[in-house]
Amino acid sequence: MRAMGGDQVEEAVSGAVAVLRGATDRDWGVRAGRLEWSCRRTAEHIASDLVSYAGQLAGRPTDRYVPFDISFDECEGPEDVLQVVEATGVLLAAAVRTTPREVRAYHPYPFRSADREGFAAMGVTEVLVHTHDVAEGLGIAYEPPAALCADVLTRIFPHVRPEPGPDHWRTLLWATGRGELPGRAPLTSWQWNNNLVVPAERLTLQGVTPAAAADLRAGGTGGFEWIAGGPFQGTRDAAGMVVKAYEAGVHRPEWGMFVLVRREDGRAVGGMGFHGAPNEEGRAEVGYDLAESARGNGYATEALRALSAWALAREDLTYLFATVDRANAPSQGVISRVGFTRVGTAGDDGEQYAYELRG
C-alpha cells in the first residue's frame, strides 16, 4: 500500500506550481473556474489550508480548530504567490512526516478528528481541486497524476464509488462538485470523510479506509503495526468485504471495519466491525477476531462494549446481531459479558448461536 504522507503533499504542490508557473504572465484577478474567488484569492486559500493543517498537526488540539491564515498582501505578483504556496506545502509535508501515527488533531468533519494521513489527504485534495479552479480561470490545462487522485479517494472519500479504470481524476472532480460523470447526478455540495476512531480503555478502534482494506485483503498490514501473529485471517476476510462494498458504491465507513490498536504501544491486536449498515429493521451485524497472541486479555470484550455503545447511540440502529460458533466458548463469553442475549441458532445446520443486543 502506498502511504499517504509528505511525499504526496510535495508531489501535489510541485505539480501544481509547475503548471501555474507557465501562466504567471496572465491576469490572476479573473474568476477561478466555478468559484466566486479570483485566481489569486484561490491560491491564497490553498496556502492558508496547507499551513493550517500543518498547524493542527503541530499543536494537536482536540476540541477546536486552531485558526491560521495566510495573507498575500505583500505578494507583488503570481510568482510571489506561488512561492508562498510552495513554502506552505513544505511545512505541511514536514508536519506529516514528524507526527506519530497514533496522533489525532481536531478537524470538524465528520468525526471531529483526523490523523496525519487525513491531514495529508485533505491538503492534497485542496491543492488538486483548487489548482484545477485556477487553471480553468487562466485558460490552461491541468491534470494531476491518477495515483494521487486514487490516494485521496480511497482515504477521505470512502463513500464515493470509484469509476472503473484509471480515471480517478474525473471521479475526484465529480466528488468535489466540479464535474460530471455518466449515470451520476451533479453535486452541489460535498464533503470528505476522515475515518472514525472509537475510544476504549486500553484500545482505540480505528476505522479502516478502502486503501487500508485493500492492502489487508492482499496480505499487507493495512498501514498498522501488528503484534506477532496478526492480522488474523478473519480480519483479512472482513477487509475484503469493505473493498467489495466500496467498489459497489454501498460502503458506509462508520458501518465498516475497525482495527483494534493498543494505546500502550500502538500495536494492532485484531479487527472488529459491521457486515454493513443497518437494514430496514435497524439491525446491523457485528463480528470480530483477535490475533492469537492477543487473546485472553479482555481486548475483545472491551472493544465490543465500546463499539456497541457507539452504535446503539445512533438513531439509525435498533439492535445489534451476532453469531458465534457453538464450539467457540471464549467468543460466547465475550458476547455475553457485553450484554448480548442468545435468541436462537443460525447457519444451515444450526451450528452457530445467534445473539442480539438492544439499547
Side-chain angles (χ1 to χ4, degrees):
M1 180 180 72
R2 186 166 109 143
M4 186 80 216
D7 290 351
Q8 281 69 38
V9 173
E10 291 181 343
E11 182 183 3
V13 172
S14 64
V17 169
V19 168
L20 297 179
R21 276 213 167 100
T24 54
D25 58 339
R26 304 193 185 193
D27 179 10
W28 284 50
V30 301
R31 182 172 170 176
R34 304 182 186 188
L35 303 181
E36 296 297 330
W37 297 334
S38 69
C39 292
R40 180 184 173 102
R41 174 67 185 89
T42 304
E44 187 178 67
H45 175 77
I46 294 173
S48 292
D49 280 338
L50 294 175
V51 76
S52 180
Y53 296 157
Q56 309 315 306
L57 287 174
R60 303 173 188 177
T62 58
D63 60 349
R64 69 193 65 188
Y65 204 70
V66 178
F68 289 86
D69 202 9
I70 291 286
S71 172
F72 281 0
D73 290 347
E74 297 185 13
C75 292
E76 294 183 0
E79 180 55 39
D80 292 345
V81 165
L82 293 177
Q83 286 181 352
V84 176
V85 172
E86 283 182 309
T88 55
V90 171
L91 289 172
L92 177 56
V96 170
R97 290 187 177 116
T98 55
T99 299
R101 187 195 178 284
E102 296 305 308
V103 166
R104 296 186 75 85
Y106 181 80
H107 190 277
Y109 190 85
F111 302 118
R112 303 178 71 81
S113 73
D115 60 10
R116 66 187 185 189
E117 280 207 353
F119 280 107
M122 289 186 289
V124 169
T125 301
E126 294 285 358
V127 172
L128 300 188
V129 300
H130 287 309
T131 298
H132 163 80
D133 297 331
V134 174
E136 193 171 58
L138 297 176
I140 59 176
Y142 170 71
E143 181 165 340
L148 266 183
C149 302
D151 285 338
V152 297
L153 285 168
T154 56
R155 283 170 174 83
I156 58 172
F157 291 92
H159 51 293
V160 174
R161 175 173 56 85
E163 281 296 292
D167 203 2
H168 299 292
W169 176 227
R170 300 294 180 271
T171 302
L172 182 59
L173 288 177
W174 174 83
T176 56
R178 287 169 170 82
E180 297 180 357
L181 286 176
R184 304 199 202 186
L187 297 180
T188 57
S189 63
W190 62 275
Q191 189 58 268
W192 48 50
N193 197 317
N194 281 292
N195 68 319
L196 171 65
V197 172
V198 177
E201 182 180 353
R202 295 171 296 165
L203 307 167
T204 56
L205 285 68
Q206 301 186 12
V208 174
T209 66
D215 188 60
L216 282 167
R217 183 182 66 169
T221 66
F224 297 91
E225 294 185 13
W226 290 85
I227 63 170
F232 196 68
Q233 185 58 45
T235 297
R236 299 197 187 281
D237 294 340
M241 294 171 59
V242 170
V243 173
K244 289 181 180 179
Y246 173 65
E247 293 174 343
V250 296
H251 175 53
R252 288 182 53 190
E254 67 271 33
W255 294 106
M257 173 186 170
F258 300 80
V259 166
L260 315 184
V261 179
R262 286 195 305 220
R263 292 180 184 272
E264 65 180 34
D265 58 4
R267 296 279 181 174
V269 300
M272 181 173 290
F274 306 100
H275 292 201
N279 62 16
E280 298 81 3
E281 299 176 357
R283 185 187 90 163
E285 184 172 354
V286 66
Y288 53 88
D289 65 30
L290 295 177
E292 290 188 10
S293 59
R295 297 173 186 174
N297 296 291
Y299 292 142
T301 301
E302 178 182 323
L304 183 58
R305 185 174 288 124
L307 188 61
S308 298
W310 174 86
L312 289 168
R314 293 176 58 93
E315 294 183 355
D316 49 349
L317 183 79
T318 303
Y319 69 101
L320 289 171
F321 176 79
T323 60
V324 181
D325 289 344
R326 285 176 175 267
N328 192 343
S331 188
Q332 293 169 28
V334 167
I335 209 155
S336 297
R337 284 191 292 273
V338 173
F340 280 74
T341 301
R342 189 189 300 177
V343 294
T345 59
D348 294 338
D349 300 318
E351 68 273 16
Q352 295 176 319
Y353 290 126
Y355 292 83
E356 290 181 0
L357 178 65
R358 296 176 181 266

